[in-house]
Amino acid sequence: MSEYQLIVIGAGPGGYTAALTAAKLGLKTAVVESRDCGGTCLNRGCVPTKALLHASDAYCSALSAARMGVHVDGASVNIAEMFGFKQQTVEKLRGGIESLFKSAKVELVRGRATITAPGTVRVEGENAGEYTAERILIATGSVPARPPIPGLGLEGVVTSDELLEGFEKLPKSIVIIGGGVIGVEFATFFSDLGTEVTIVEGLDRLLPNMDRELGQSLAQVLKKQGVKIFTGAMVEKVEKSGDMLSVCFTQKGSAVKAEGELVLCAIGRRPYTEGLFGGAAPEMDGRRIAVDGNYETSIQGIYAIGDVSSPVQLAHVAAAQGTACAEHVAGKKNCVHMEIVPGCVYCKPEIASVGLSEAAAKEAGILVKTAKCTLFSNARTMIADSGRSFMKLVANADTGAIVGAQLMCEHATDMISQLSEAIANAMTPRALLKAMRPHPTYEEALSDALEELCIKLGI
């Protein structure tokens, strides 16, 4: 007889959510984790990055407060204290996860796990031993990708994981390879603190996986802040020259160099499976573990969720999959629409999107109507001096149901959920207009976009 009904490998958002859900549903559960609880998101990703962005924004706000009659003399940055604030935040949240494990009676097994056979996990480390379970769930996440570009191993070239460990002094200049979410968030952070920032992106715009206007508008905002941006730029090598690093790339057929004291390689992440399988390994989909609709791998009784198996590498996706997988194992039905995934970028102003963009709908052969509302006359936007801000909505031209939304404005990441809910429930803009939105808020601008969409749909 197995010791556990479920062993979860990895205590990140997907793993700890799955374990807590399974325990709540009555399954005897253990979690194996070789590092700190919370995974990449809490320790080396979402949370520490947002803590640093909150700190850098506070400094930036202090410098610009004079326009409101608030004069802050001698504002300065202590980078060690800033990273200390980040670490305090992380440790509080990490302790919360471990407390939840204890109260839910989930056993935390510390060590590195290897699946030696279906139902058997060997652990090396603090709690070394062999553990058995009726089912095993893999939630080992991802690690930064390092392409075979000459010079990426030089001192001063770092990944986001390494950068978030902290550094002794603020660099005067940084080159960021990659203009996706990780790249633009760090560009915002360093730009706030006065560092000279250069972004080098291989595709034709920033945030290439999002609506085109979002990436183009963000580029305008960042350039206004002094950030240098090169798109359509293919990096060939990184060179060291004295105290500086040079990122060498080609753009429109010409050779170009961008110099910085520090280089951040932020071109994405890859699934982490090293040392995971000591016996037969499940089928793979490229680098990802292949799973079916219930997150089960090709080996019966072994499941996988989150970054290790999903093409969408987001903490909330991993958590939703963890809940769904645990419910399936416990014989319950999950009702979350896994295909409706909100994406958030914590730049200034914030960016959030969900569902289809107009271009994606056209590519899928779906006839849509769109509406856009700029927030230049929005009271809260004017008070905050947020700059270029807008909301775009996309609706099915035949049914009137909202199928997509793209927001670039303050608090966009907090507002996107109501639009995700609208898409999940096939709501029309007229249905959303039944709710009164308070004044003065950023959110009230959404009513303007909804009204314009109703006019275009003729409803």
Side-chain angles (χ1 to χ4, degrees):
M1 186 174 177
S2 299
E3 296 174 79
Y4 301 96
Q5 290 169 286
L6 179 67
I7 288 179
V8 181
I9 303 175
Y16 73 70
T17 302
L20 292 170
T21 302
K24 182 180 179 180
L25 294 173
L27 302 182
K28 187 179 180 183
T29 305
V31 176
V32 184
E33 176 56 64
S34 62
R35 302 178 74 175
D36 293 317
C37 290
T40 294
C41 177
L42 177 53
N43 297 288
R44 300 169 296 280
C46 319
V47 173
T49 304
K50 278 56 181 180
L52 291 175
L53 282 166
H54 182 70
S56 69
D57 183 60
Y59 173 69
C60 198
S61 296
L63 295 182
S64 60
R67 73 176 184 86
M68 299 178 287
V70 179
H71 299 273
V72 182
D73 297 325
S76 62
V77 171
N78 184 310
I79 200 69
E81 291 177 358
M82 190 174 283
F83 273 86
F85 163 72
K86 178 269 295 183
Q87 194 59 28
Q88 288 174 7
T89 305
V90 168
E91 288 174 2
K92 285 179 183 178
L93 290 168
R94 187 191 301 151
I97 294 170
E98 294 179 10
S99 294
L100 288 172
F101 282 160
K102 289 179 181 177
S103 61
K105 296 183 179 179
V106 172
E107 183 175 352
L108 177 57
V109 180
R110 296 191 180 277
R112 183 172 297 279
T114 300
I115 302 172
T116 55
T120 305
V121 176
R122 184 181 69 243
V123 176
E124 297 177 353
E126 184 178 335
N127 300 130
E130 190 170 88
Y131 298 79
T132 59
E134 295 173 12
R135 294 179 177 88
I136 297 169
L137 172 58
I138 301 168
T140 48
S142 61
V143 294
R146 276 186 180 270
I149 296 174
L152 285 190
L154 290 171
E155 183 180 355
V157 181
V158 297
T159 65
S160 57
D161 280 12
E162 295 156 349
L163 187 58
L164 287 169
E165 292 175 1
F167 39 86
E168 293 182 0
K169 65 176 183 177
L170 186 69
K172 293 181 180 179
S173 55
I174 184 171
V175 181
I176 300 173
I177 303 174
V181 175
I182 297 172
V184 300
E185 288 188 348
F186 275 110
T188 301
F189 169 73
F190 281 107
S191 178
D192 279 352
L193 300 183
T195 295
E196 182 182 299
V197 179
T198 303
I199 300 175
V200 180
E201 166 57 44
L203 296 179
D204 65 345
R205 65 185 188 276
L206 300 183
L207 303 177
N209 293 327
M210 288 185 150
D211 178 77
R212 178 175 292 275
E213 188 173 1
L214 293 174
Q216 292 174 336
S217 296
L218 177 59
Q220 291 180 28
V221 171
L222 289 173
K223 285 178 180 178
K224 192 174 180 181
Q225 296 171 358
V227 176
K228 298 176 184 177
I229 299 172
F230 296 91
T231 56
M234 303 307 296
V235 176
E236 296 183 341
K237 60 183 177 180
V238 179
E239 296 177 330
K240 185 83 170 177
S241 178
D243 294 332
M244 301 294 285
L245 290 158
S246 296
V247 176
C248 306
F249 57 93
T250 56
Q251 186 187 48
K252 297 180 180 179
S254 300
V256 187
K257 282 186 179 182
E259 288 193 334
E261 290 183 5
L262 195 68
V263 172
L264 170 62
C265 181
I267 58 169
R269 302 180 66 86
R270 61 175 179 82
Y272 182 69
T273 58
E274 280 80 353
L276 186 57
F277 304 108
E283 292 180 6
M284 304 294 287
D285 179 8
R287 286 188 167 184
R288 299 190 300 270
I289 297 174
V291 296
D292 64 15
N294 292 318
Y295 308 101
E296 191 166 18
T297 71
S298 58
I299 301 175
Q300 187 175 3
I302 298 179
Y303 299 77
I305 59 165
D307 291 6
V308 77
S309 61
S310 173
V312 183
Q313 296 179 331
L314 294 170
H316 47 279
V317 171
Q321 290 179 350
T323 297
C325 186
E327 288 179 339
H328 168 72
V329 169
K332 305 292 183 179
K333 186 176 180 181
N334 182 268
C335 62
V336 175
H337 288 247
M338 294 296 176
E339 73 281 7
I340 302 173
V341 180
C344 301
V345 189
Y346 295 82
C347 47
K348 290 192 298 187
E350 291 181 350
I351 287 175
S353 67
V354 66
L356 297 174
S357 64
E358 183 178 9
K362 183 177 181 181
E363 188 175 329
I366 301 172
L367 186 63
V368 296
K369 296 289 186 180
T370 64
K372 178 181 174 182
C373 170
T374 57
L375 276 72
F376 294 123
S377 60
N378 176 264
R380 287 294 302 280
T381 301
M382 291 181 68
I383 292 167
D385 193 25
S386 303
R388 184 179 180 84
S389 302
F390 63 88
M391 297 181 179
K392 288 174 67 177
L393 301 178
V394 184
N396 186 299
D398 296 323
T399 67
I402 294 173
V403 295
Q406 297 85 41
L407 312 182
M408 183 174 181
C409 58
E410 296 288 343
H411 295 221
T413 60
D414 295 313
M415 289 189 281
I416 198 66
S417 291
Q418 65 174 292
L419 293 163
S420 300
E421 185 177 3
I423 296 171
N425 291 286
M427 296 174 69
T428 66
R430 182 61 64 193
L432 279 178
L433 282 169
K434 290 181 180 180
M436 186 184 301
R437 293 174 175 82
H439 172 80
T441 62
Y442 299 105
E443 186 183 12
E444 66 181 321
L446 181 58
S447 293
D448 296 333
L450 290 166
E451 287 171 358
E452 183 183 340
L453 193 53
C454 283
I455 293 171
K456 290 191 174 182
L457 290 167
I459 60 174

